Amino acid sequence: MGTSFKNRIIILCVGLVLITAIASLAGFWWSTSEFKERQVQQDIQKAQSVYQQYLVARERLLVTAASVLTQDFGFKQAVATRDASTISSVLYNHSQRINAELMLLLDVRGKLISTNQNQLELPQDMRPLVKELLAYEKRSAFVVLDKKLYQAIILPVKAPRTIAFTIVGFVVDEPIAEQLKGLTGMEMSFISQGERMKASSIQLPEDRDLFTYLHDQKISRWFGEYPIYVNAEVALPSLTAVPVSLVLSADLRDEYEEFDQLVLTIVFLSCITMLFGFVASGFLARNLATPLQQLTVMARRFAKGDYHAQIHETRPTKEICQLVNAFHEMGDDIQAREKKIRYQASHDALTGFYNRTSALPILDALFSTEQVYYLLVIDIKGLRHINDKLGPRIGDSCIQAVAERIEQVTADFEGLNVRLGGDEFLTVLLAKANSTMEQCVDSFLNKLNPSYTVHNFDINLRFSVGVVHIPEQADNADDSIRRALIAADNASHGVEDVYFYQTGEDEAYLERLEIVDELKQALVADDGQLFMTFQPKLNMRTGVVDKVESLIRWKRSNGDWVSPELFIDLAEQSGLIVDLTQWVLRTVISQISAWSAQGLTMKAAINVSAQDIADAEFIPHLVAMLKTYSVPANLITIELTERDMIENEEKGIAALIALKEIGVHISLDDYGVGQTSLGRLKMLPIDELKLDKVFILKLAGSHQDQCIVRSTISLGHQLGFSVVAEGVEDVESLKLLEDMKCDYAQGYYLSRPLKADDFTLWLGQHHKAV
């Protein structure tokens, strides 16, 4: 079940607030982090500037002090005379005045003359130190002496030539680092490469490397650990052998703490905002969802057919009012459409009569009364020809005109009128006490038969009528309609236009339906119920049987035989004839292939219907079977009756031409008893005429039949046709046909239709006898 509208509004509002808070927090986090990083870098640059100014100030002091010392006349004289006590006193006093921790006096060869630190350990060879310090030209440099770091400067003592060098320097130690830290706000560490750290404001353990220590300093916060220090290393002017650098370390703990406090503040404010959003969205959702819930109840009442439901809302919004009005308009429209749909569902659109489905309960209600009724099924004869000749519009108008006439006529009979479909109507007439069923039906038809005026045409219509007596011949609606349809079908095929149902005909109809169903199952199962027989055709010129007619037979699973005329006719009516013919084609062609494998070449004729010829798959299926079983097309003869050709002559001729193109022979069956004229015969693309057996059965004793057969054979030969006579029952008829130059003969005199194995045995015996 889906989430309610109210909950969706709450989720949406709170979700938007949450997304906004998260986005704001993420943006704040990113921007603050970027700002802090830039600020730290700026602080480092400021610290570099401060320490550089600090070192420059100390350097100036060193230069001034060194200059005063080297230009002092008494000091020069003492250096020239090597007055050790005077030199030592001057160096000590001068270092005290400027707070210089380092005062050295060296001769021009770099040897120590005097120092203010008696216990200072110096390198044995001071010349490299002197040389590099002199290279800085009155600028200070950082040197390491006796494991201490000094900012020192060297100046020559001239009198007037250089007689010595004085080195003045300030020690760089932890107090200096702390002083610089106080000026810059950053940790200061002076280190020399390859040596231990010389001075730092960080309390570093004795055995720890500075950079390792700084890297290991982490602080845990939020989602992980973060470094405490951001470091920058700056190289200082120093000796090549012992380079010195300054490491500036920005402590980020205060920034982290401030940042975390801001994050917590934002989170707190976001929670307050979400709480407010939850309350506000709940209020909004209730105001929106309550009317919608009432609209849902209204819609459900509409679904049950209550289109007068109202919404109970004290202060509905304009949109809700519009929606309620739309619901009521929709209800009115639905009512109108329902009424129309119910009418259309129960009535025929063309005539306004009840349709079959809606008529069934009404008919069933009639059976519960004690009244006597006559149920009539009325079929308009020849309506298809009217549609073909005058168009479907005239045909529909005829149906409407007949419906109007039926309605007028049945007004006196208190009847029920139904259109069953197409050109079939059903009418129920109330029996009259002073009239028989025949009289009642005649009275009805006398009023129905007069001509109809349709679109200024006077049209005479004829009707086939089937009649059932209710309740004598039926006790429910389904049976009564089915039996009336059976009677109407008999009327359409009989001499009389009216047929009164006879008790027991329904059972025969159901029996035919059962036969159709069993035929369908027999085709699918192919279990031997259906099989082919073959009747020999004697070649009158050679005396050899080289053709057969393929005839289908059916023995039902219960052992009963079904007449081919019956089940083939039912197959044509039910639409099974196409499947049946395809089965016949496959069976016969496979048998011809089997005979060919035995060394027997036999031509076979196969009977097909008009439906087969009209089927688009007939010829492709035939070609496929011939290819599958490797049978030449000239071994197959397709037999059609005159009736099949007349049903759709144009389409039939096109199909026959297509058959001849693939090499199949065409035979016109039952010739002489149909409606084929000589003109039509000339147009048909056939190879063979097959004389109907009505002319052959009594050929020996009928001069008229002999004249007809002789002239037909002569005509067929002149038109280039082969002629076959079927129904040969005696030797006299066979001899007459031989004298008349008939090409082929078949009949019981030669052999009855035989199964394939029996035919093979018969053929061997026949050839021996010949």
Side-chain angles (χ1 to χ4, degrees):
M1 188 174 180
T3 308
S4 67
F5 180 67
K6 179 179 179 181
N7 291 340
R8 288 189 178 185
I9 291 178
I10 295 174
I11 293 172
L12 176 63
C13 294
V14 174
L16 288 175
V17 173
L18 181 60
I19 292 172
T20 302
I22 293 174
S24 300
L25 183 60
F28 167 77
W29 191 300
W30 179 82
S31 60
T32 305
S33 299
E34 290 290 319
F35 173 75
K36 287 294 183 182
E37 184 176 349
R38 290 195 300 270
Q39 189 176 34
V40 168
Q41 295 298 327
Q42 291 174 0
D43 291 344
I44 290 175
Q45 292 177 359
K46 291 178 181 178
Q48 290 180 2
S49 177
V50 170
Y51 93 80
Q52 288 175 352
Q53 293 176 8
Y54 178 80
L55 294 181
V56 168
R58 285 168 58 93
E59 182 180 74
R60 290 174 181 171
L61 182 59
L62 286 174
V63 171
T64 302
S67 299
V68 171
L69 178 63
T70 55
Q71 293 176 7
D72 183 85
F73 178 79
F75 178 71
K76 291 182 180 181
Q77 186 177 14
V79 172
T81 59
R82 294 292 194 272
D83 185 350
S85 59
T86 302
I87 293 173
S88 177
S89 175
V90 171
L91 292 178
Y92 176 77
N93 292 332
H94 200 68
S95 66
Q96 291 297 315
R97 283 196 299 271
I98 65 172
N99 293 322
E101 289 81 2
L102 180 66
M103 285 285 187
L104 297 179
L105 182 64
L106 305 175
D107 63 13
V108 293
R109 292 189 297 272
K111 290 185 178 181
L112 181 65
I113 299 175
S114 181
T115 179
N116 65 335
Q117 297 184 35
N118 294 328
Q119 297 181 352
L120 183 65
E121 294 184 5
L122 299 173
Q124 293 181 357
D125 187 3
M126 296 288 286
R127 284 177 296 177
L129 174 63
V130 173
K131 184 177 181 180
E132 288 200 45
L133 286 177
L134 287 173
Y136 282 97
E137 297 180 353
K138 294 184 179 182
R139 287 187 296 110
S140 63
F142 289 84
V143 297
V144 178
L145 296 175
D146 196 13
K147 299 182 180 180
K148 289 185 179 181
L149 180 62
Y150 296 92
Q151 182 183 7
I153 190 171
I154 187 170
L155 288 177
V157 180
K158 296 182 178 181
R161 61 180 179 83
T162 301
I163 58 174
F165 297 97
T166 180
I167 298 176
V168 181
F170 297 123
V171 69
V172 180
D173 52 9
E174 282 72 10
I176 298 298
E178 289 290 345
Q179 187 177 5
L180 283 172
K181 176 183 176 182
L183 292 173
T184 62
M186 291 191 179
E187 301 289 351
M188 296 288 180
S189 302
F190 293 88
I191 61 173
S192 62
Q193 185 176 354
E195 297 282 344
R196 287 197 172 188
M197 185 184 64
K198 299 308 176 185
S200 177
S201 61
I202 300 174
Q203 299 297 321
L204 183 68
E206 289 291 336
D207 58 344
R208 295 296 301 276
D209 176 72
L210 174 65
F211 287 107
T212 303
Y213 175 79
L214 293 175
H215 181 269
D216 292 341
Q217 298 305 298
K218 305 284 185 181
I219 185 172
S220 297
R221 51 190 293 271
W222 299 106
F223 307 110
E225 293 185 339
Y226 294 83
I228 293 178
Y229 296 103
V230 173
N231 306 296
E233 184 178 4
V234 181
L236 298 176
S238 58
L239 302 184
T240 305
V242 186
V244 177
S245 60
L246 173 64
V247 178
L248 293 85
S249 302
D251 192 335
L252 303 180
R253 280 174 288 195
D254 292 339
E255 281 76 3
Y256 287 153
E257 184 176 357
E258 292 177 3
F259 180 79
D260 293 345
Q261 287 296 329
L262 287 173
V263 170
L264 290 174
T265 301
I266 292 177
V267 171
F268 175 75
L269 293 176
S270 298
C271 292
I272 296 297
T273 305
M274 281 190 289
L275 179 61
F276 174 77
F278 181 81
V279 174
S281 61
F283 178 77
L284 175 64
R286 185 184 64 182
N287 288 341
L288 291 176
T290 300
L292 292 179
Q293 290 173 349
Q294 295 186 18
L295 287 172
T296 302
V297 174
M298 180 185 292
R300 289 173 179 168
R301 293 178 64 180
F302 275 23
K304 295 179 180 179
D306 181 7
Y307 299 107
H308 303 289
Q310 297 289 336
I311 183 172
H312 302 287
E313 180 69 17
T314 56
R315 298 172 62 185
T317 63
K318 179 181 178 182
E319 290 75 13
I320 293 297
C321 292
Q322 292 175 344
L323 190 57
V324 171
N325 292 333
F327 261 75
H328 285 295
E329 291 175 2
M330 179 183 69
D332 295 338
D333 293 341
I334 291 175
Q335 278 184 297
R337 282 197 296 271
E338 280 184 349
K339 184 177 180 180
K340 183 177 180 181
I341 289 171
R342 281 195 297 267
Y343 181 85
Q344 291 176 342
S346 60
H347 291 75
D348 173 57
L350 184 62
T351 63
F353 283 2
Y354 286 105
N355 57 34
R356 180 170 183 163
T357 303
S358 61
L360 289 176
I362 301 175
L363 279 175
D364 281 327
L366 295 179
F367 288 100
S368 62
T369 67
E370 296 182 358
Q371 296 286 347
V372 176
Y373 295 93
Y374 308 133
L375 191 148
L376 283 66
V377 168
I378 306 162
D379 185 11
I380 305 175
K381 287 186 175 182
L383 185 63
R384 189 182 68 178
H385 296 295
I386 294 176
N387 284 329
D388 293 342
K389 301 298 183 182
L390 302 178
R393 188 167 65 93
I394 301 296
D396 288 345
S397 297
C398 288
I399 292 174
Q400 289 176 323
V402 171
E404 292 175 2
R405 182 78 59 85
I406 291 175
E407 190 171 17
Q408 294 172 2
V409 173
T410 55
D412 298 333
F413 290 90
E414 303 177 10
L416 168 69
N417 299 319
V418 182
R419 185 186 180 194
L420 296 178
D423 54 0
E424 287 183 332
F425 295 91
L426 181 146
T427 296
V428 178
L429 303 178
L430 178 65
K432 301 292 185 180
N434 56 351
S435 299
T436 65
M437 181 170 62
E438 289 78 5
Q439 290 174 336
C440 187
V441 173
D442 287 342
S443 175
F444 173 80
L445 288 178
N446 288 335
K447 296 177 182 179
L448 189 65
N449 281 327
S451 64
Y452 294 81
T453 302
V454 178
H455 293 278
N456 299 322
F457 290 101
D458 285 333
I459 300 177
N460 292 313
L461 298 177
R462 295 182 58 207
F463 304 95
S464 299
V465 182
V467 186
V468 171
H469 186 285
I470 296 175
E472 182 179 319
Q473 293 179 324
D475 59 2
N476 61 73
D478 285 330
D479 289 346
S480 63
I481 294 176
R482 183 175 65 253
R483 291 168 184 174
L485 287 170
I486 293 172
D489 185 63
N490 289 332
S492 64
H493 291 90
V495 177
E496 299 294 333
D497 291 336
V498 180
Y499 186 91
F500 295 92
Y501 176 79
Q502 304 297 315
T503 302
E505 288 180 331
D506 191 26
E507 287 72 13
Y509 172 76
L510 295 176
E511 172 67 16
R512 290 196 297 271
L513 291 182
E514 183 180 354
I515 289 175
V516 171
D517 185 61
E518 288 190 21
L519 177 59
K520 186 185 301 183
Q521 296 177 12
L523 282 171
V524 174
D526 197 10
D527 54 0
Q529 292 186 51
L530 293 168
F531 60 91
M532 297 303 301
T533 61
F534 303 92
Q535 188 172 28
K537 290 184 178 182
L538 177 65
N539 190 323
M540 304 290 286
R541 296 179 180 177
T542 63
V544 176
V545 173
D546 56 10
K547 286 186 178 182
V548 293
E549 181 177 5
S550 307
L551 300 169
I552 189 170
R553 297 292 182 263
W554 181 17
K555 187 176 184 181
R556 297 166 71 178
S557 57
N558 61 6
D560 295 339
W561 289 90
V562 185
S563 167
E565 289 78 6
L566 175 60
F567 73 79
I568 290 175
D569 181 60
L570 292 176
E572 289 180 344
Q573 295 178 18
S574 62
L576 280 177
I577 190 64
V578 173
D579 294 334
L580 185 63
T581 302
Q582 289 189 357
W583 181 89
V584 170
L585 287 173
R586 182 175 66 253
T587 305
V588 172
I589 293 174
S590 65
Q591 183 59 56
I592 294 175
S593 177
W595 282 334
S596 297
Q598 298 171 11
L600 175 62
T601 300
M602 187 63 60
K603 298 180 180 180
I606 301 173
N607 293 281
V608 299
S609 68
Q611 293 183 39
D612 295 318
I613 294 298
D615 180 31
E617 297 298 321
F618 174 72
I619 295 179
H621 180 74
L622 173 60
V623 173
M625 290 299 99
L626 293 173
K627 183 178 181 181
T628 299
Y629 293 101
S630 302
V631 172
N634 61 1
L635 296 184
I636 301 297
T637 299
I638 298 298
E639 291 190 2
L640 295 97
T641 65
E642 294 184 63
R643 177 178 60 85
D644 293 329
M645 288 301 304
I646 293 173
E647 281 192 7
N648 192 336
E649 186 172 347
E650 183 178 349
K651 192 171 184 179
I653 291 175
L656 295 183
I657 293 174
L659 285 170
K660 288 183 66 66
E661 287 178 353
I662 65 174
V664 173
H665 291 174
I666 308 297
S667 176
L668 184 62
D669 198 4
D670 298 338
Y671 180 74
V673 297
Q675 301 176 6
T676 304
S677 64
L678 293 178
R680 182 180 290 111
L681 184 64
K682 180 181 66 174
M683 296 169 55
L684 296 179
I686 61 176
D687 302 290
E688 181 180 273
L689 285 179
K690 193 171 184 181
L691 289 170
D692 190 84
K693 62 184 177 181
V694 69
F695 303 112
I696 308 300
L697 289 174
K698 299 179 181 181
L699 181 63
S702 174
H703 177 70
Q704 291 179 335
D705 288 342
Q706 293 175 17
C707 292
I708 292 173
V709 170
R710 181 178 287 105
S711 61
T712 303
I713 293 174
S714 176
L715 174 64
H717 287 166
Q718 291 177 16
L719 293 175
F721 303 149
S722 174
V723 181
V724 180
E726 63 175 342
V728 179
E729 302 287 337
D730 50 55
V731 64
E732 291 82 4
S733 297
L734 182 63
K735 288 182 178 180
L736 284 172
L737 290 171
E738 186 176 2
D739 293 339
M740 296 176 186
K741 307 299 181 181
C742 185
D743 298 291
Y744 282 90
Q746 71 178 92
Y748 282 3
Y749 175 73
L750 296 172
S751 173
R752 292 178 177 273
L754 302 170
K755 290 186 176 180
D757 294 339
D758 296 335
F759 170 75
T760 305
L761 294 174
W762 176 90
L763 187 63
Q765 295 172 359
H766 174 76
H767 286 169
K768 287 181 181 179
V770 174

